[in-house]
Amino acid sequence: MAAQFGRRLRKGATATTVAALVVAALSASQAPGSTSVPAGERAGEVTEPPGTPVTGNSPYFTDLPPLNTSNKPNKPGTSIDLPVVAGPAEAGIPATVLDAYKRAEETIRDTKPGCRLPWQLLAAIGKVESGQARGGRVDANGTTLTPILGPQLNGVGFANISDTDNGAYDGDTTHDRAVGPMQFIPSTWAVWGQDGNADGRKNPNNIYDAALAAGRYLCAHDRDLSVQGDLDQAILGYNRSREYLRTVMSWFDYYRRGNHEVPDGTGVLPGSGEPDSHGKGRGSGNGLPNAPVTTPPSTPETPGPDKPSTPGKPDGGDGTKPPTTTPPGTKPPTTPPGTKPPTTPPPAPRPPAPAPVTALDRLGSASVTATEGEKFTDRLRVRAKTSAGKVVADAKVQFQIIGDTAARFPGAETRIVVTTGTDGIATAPTIGAGGRPGKFMVRAKALGTTAPAVDFAASVAAKPAPAPQSDALARTSDKELKAGTGGSFADAVEVKATYKGKAAAGVGVSATMVTDEADQPVENDKGPYFKDADGKTVRTLTALKTDANGLLKLPEIFTDGNAGTYKLRLTTADGVVLTVELTVTAATTDPTTDPSTSPSSTPTE
């Protein structure tokens, strides 16, 4: 592998020179779709984004797109020979891989339209990272036929990244490796992994999953990839190399100028130009083993003004065989009588464009609320209508969260695009309230129209503080509680609530004079009692709470004329029970004060 890597480094040096020429030519042309020098490159002001890059700075294919120059300028007034794309095989992208790129672009356009992700950017990265999944060696679901692994990132010539996935993705329990057609290191995949083909799995070896994950990463931090500075930062975040940036930009421009679909397994591997006679691409790069590929037979080209034949060379001097000529006197083959020449079927008619949206009607409440940490139960809905009042189906409506809030749509998105149904209604996904109370706004806007936006007011309430807890309740004194009939207890009943050995403040407690029934005690109708604010007899008190020290002192307890042993039951809000025994004795009579025995009460004659 060292020899291969060395070859790629030498090839990279050549690539840098060629890339500089390409960029200079394209800048001079000012042609539509041309690629300029990355923002700040000449001034040295391109900064590397923070964090670990997607690939862990694994090696990559340094090959540049095939170029050819013409002696004729591409357009009048151009003073420089511009590169002309050649080698159509290099522009071929395997069918499943191409579909994955386009599907990722469509998904992100619907959910994050402000990013403006072009699928050709994914194709450019896929080309330099894995040669379009080794020329499209994927199954029908988009999973690579064999794993694509980069070299061990052990610090020897590469980054040093210890194992983060226990070998789950890369089979290496010592160090990480870049994995799959878009070369994610496991720790980055754990954050950005996606299920692009809706099979319930996030598999870095699946091109649909990997392409969508790459797109989400490139669009992070609210980047607009139509802005060169954001585009540069996104690519540098994938691999922190300015040579990498130039290489990706070269392929990006190449695919924007032209591309076509080829069958899976027939793509051209980097480092080869085209498959060799053994069906293997020459050069591996990125630590990827060579993989057998096949190429559809090519059609020989007839030398023309731009491809002159070289005298004395039977192949015309450009590697192609000369065209076969018809012997003199032989008529060229003709179409049998009655046979119509093949015709190209007319293109399918385009579906009619939806009627223009001129208004959005708010459906339901104009304001919604939720508690922090929970989800909004009310779904935001609008109906798209024309100026004639008719509903509009298939219209794109963007819902955007505006304001300082932690509330988000699914996928942690602040903007999401919804297509209206046949009833013209667009319903926003459920919003998660996040972990911060406050107010914000959700704005619904019909994209591509001048229809006024519709705003919804939203608020997140603070989560109620958890109720105080207790796991024990005890008296603060072990003194026996006694009183005579018709009086009151001299000693107050005081208890303390604790939780895990510490004082439990604010614990709710109820106190009830209960009967002796052990299984189902009920409120007693005789014996000790409390008095309410009006002085009336009550035998149950509620809404009692412990103080800051976990203490609770009950009001004065009175006795009626019934002597005996009674029970006071105290219960905390979380079910802790304490039973206190109260003893009521019959009051004694003092003979010195008993009127029946007083001398003054004796009748006199």
Side-chain angles (χ1 to χ4, degrees), residues 304-600:
D306 295 330
K307 294 187 179 182
S309 299
T310 302
K313 291 190 178 182
D315 63 354
D318 61 356
T320 62
K321 293 182 180 181
T324 302
T325 58
T326 304
T330 305
K331 292 183 178 180
T334 59
T335 303
T339 303
K340 292 183 179 180
T343 58
T344 303
R350 292 184 178 182
V357 177
T358 60
L360 289 179
D361 289 346
R362 183 192 299 111
L363 303 179
S365 175
S367 61
V368 292
T369 60
T371 302
E372 63 175 318
E374 300 179 0
K375 293 182 178 181
F376 284 82
T377 55
D378 294 318
R379 300 279 293 275
L380 308 184
R381 301 190 306 152
V382 294
R383 178 181 280 118
K385 297 171 65 176
T386 67
S387 57
K390 294 184 178 180
V391 300
V392 181
D394 297 324
K396 301 292 185 182
V397 176
Q398 175 183 273
F399 291 88
Q400 181 178 5
I401 294 174
I402 301 174
D404 183 16
T405 178
R408 292 293 185 269
F409 290 114
E413 299 286 352
T414 57
R415 289 182 294 183
I416 201 156
V417 177
V418 178
T419 303
T420 59
T422 56
D423 55 2
I425 296 176
T427 303
T430 300
I431 302 175
R436 188 166 72 246
K439 296 182 179 181
F440 62 97
M441 180 171 61
V442 180
R443 175 164 293 166
K445 172 67 177 174
L447 297 179
T449 74
T450 58
V454 171
D455 293 336
F456 295 84
S459 60
V460 178
K463 190 174 183 177
Q469 291 181 288
S470 65
D471 55 15
L473 188 66
R475 284 185 63 199
T476 58
S477 170
D478 58 1
K479 186 176 181 180
E480 187 176 8
L481 296 169
K482 284 188 176 182
T485 56
S488 65
F489 288 85
D491 298 311
V493 176
E494 185 181 62
V495 295
K496 183 175 184 178
T498 57
Y499 181 68
K500 294 184 178 180
K502 295 183 179 180
V507 175
V509 179
S510 62
T512 304
M513 302 296 178
V514 296
T515 60
D516 285 333
E517 287 85 350
D519 294 337
Q520 194 68 33
V522 296
E523 183 180 277
N524 211 331
D525 59 357
K526 62 180 180 179
Y529 60 92
F530 303 103
K531 289 183 179 180
D532 63 12
D534 297 327
K536 294 180 180 180
T537 298
V538 293
R539 288 188 168 86
T540 296
L541 296 178
T542 58
L544 304 173
K545 285 190 176 181
T546 60
D547 63 13
N549 297 314
L551 296 174
L552 170 65
K553 182 179 287 188
L554 298 184
E556 184 178 7
I557 301 175
F558 300 91
T559 61
D560 59 10
N562 298 290
T565 301
Y566 297 90
K567 291 181 180 180
L568 169 63
R569 183 185 178 95
L570 296 102
T571 307
T572 67
D574 40 10
V576 179
V577 176
L578 172 66
T579 301
V580 178
E581 191 171 90
L582 302 173
T583 302
V584 179
T585 60
T588 57
T589 301
D590 186 348
T592 61
T593 59
D594 188 345
S596 63
T597 59
S598 173
S600 61

Side-chain angles (χ1 to χ4, degrees), residues 85-141:
V85 174
E90 286 288 351
I93 302 176
T96 300
V97 177
L98 179 60
D99 181 61
Y101 295 151
K102 291 184 176 181
R103 187 182 298 186
E105 178 196 55
E106 182 179 352
T107 299
I108 292 175
R109 183 173 61 244
D110 287 345
T111 58
K112 206 161 191 174
C115 176
R116 297 177 174 85
L117 169 74
W119 69 261
Q120 292 91 341
L121 178 60
L122 297 176
I125 292 174
K127 182 69 173 180
V128 301
E129 292 296 344
S130 68
Q132 312 297 20
R134 292 182 182 158
R137 297 187 69 245
V138 296
D139 62 20
N141 294 321

Side-chain angles (χ1 to χ4, degrees), residues 69-389:
T69 56
S70 168
N71 293 326
K72 298 179 181 180
N74 284 41
K75 63 179 182 179
T78 305
S79 60
I80 186 172
D81 292 341
L82 297 180
V84 178
V85 174
E90 286 288 351
I93 302 176
T96 300
V97 177
L98 179 60
D99 181 61
Y101 295 151
K102 291 184 176 181
R103 187 182 298 186
E105 178 196 55
E106 182 179 352
T107 299
I108 292 175
R109 183 173 61 244
D110 287 345
T111 58
K112 206 161 191 174
C115 176
R116 297 177 174 85
L117 169 74
W119 69 261
Q120 292 91 341
L121 178 60
L122 297 176
I125 292 174
K127 182 69 173 180
V128 301
E129 292 296 344
S130 68
Q132 312 297 20
R134 292 182 182 158
R137 297 187 69 245
V138 296
D139 62 20
N141 294 321
T143 302
T144 57
L145 301 181
T146 54
I148 300 177
L149 299 176
Q152 188 182 62
L153 299 176
N154 56 10
V156 181
F158 312 116
N160 188 354
I161 302 178
S162 299
D163 174 59
T164 61
D165 66 330
N166 199 28
Y169 294 123
D170 56 14
D172 192 328
T173 57
T174 304
H175 291 83
D176 273 347
R177 298 170 182 260
V179 181
M182 303 304 279
Q183 290 289 279
F184 278 85
I185 57 174
S187 57
T188 307
W189 183 259
V191 176
W192 293 97
Q194 300 287 317
D195 179 12
N197 61 350
D199 65 353
R201 297 181 59 207
K202 297 179 181 180
N203 182 6
N205 289 301
N206 182 277
I207 186 60
Y208 288 99
D209 295 357
L212 183 56
R216 295 254 187 241
Y217 175 84
L218 294 168
C219 289
H221 309 299
D222 290 327
R223 292 189 185 107
D224 180 352
L225 299 183
S226 66
V227 176
Q228 189 67 44
D230 283 2
L231 179 60
D232 293 347
Q233 290 295 307
I235 298 172
L236 285 172
Y238 216 96
N239 192 310
R240 289 180 187 157
S241 161
R242 295 185 183 178
E243 179 186 342
Y244 180 86
L245 172 61
R246 287 188 289 267
T247 305
V248 170
M249 289 298 294
S250 296
W251 282 105
F252 178 34
D253 184 79
Y254 181 71
Y255 286 132
R256 284 193 300 177
R257 287 169 171 258
N259 58 80
H260 61 273
E261 177 184 307
V262 298
D264 290 345
T266 66
V268 175
L269 289 178
S272 63
E274 61 183 8
D276 63 19
S277 58
H278 299 288
K280 295 183 179 181
R282 295 186 295 277
S284 58
N286 208 19
L288 309 178
N290 289 322
V293 294
T294 59
T295 303
S298 58
T299 303
E301 299 181 13
T302 303
D306 295 330
K307 294 187 179 182
S309 299
T310 302
K313 291 190 178 182
D315 63 354
D318 61 356
T320 62
K321 293 182 180 181
T324 302
T325 58
T326 304
T330 305
K331 292 183 178 180
T334 59
T335 303
T339 303
K340 292 183 179 180
T343 58
T344 303
R350 292 184 178 182
V357 177
T358 60
L360 289 179
D361 289 346
R362 183 192 299 111
L363 303 179
S365 175
S367 61
V368 292
T369 60
T371 302
E372 63 175 318
E374 300 179 0
K375 293 182 178 181
F376 284 82
T377 55
D378 294 318
R379 300 279 293 275
L380 308 184
R381 301 190 306 152
V382 294
R383 178 181 280 118
K385 297 171 65 176
T386 67
S387 57

Side-chain angles (χ1 to χ4, degrees), residues 46-71:
V46 176
T47 58
E48 296 177 353
T52 304
V54 168
T55 68
N57 278 357
S58 292
Y60 56 90
F61 289 115
T62 57
D63 302 54
L64 289 172
L67 300 174
N68 190 13
T69 56
S70 168
N71 293 326

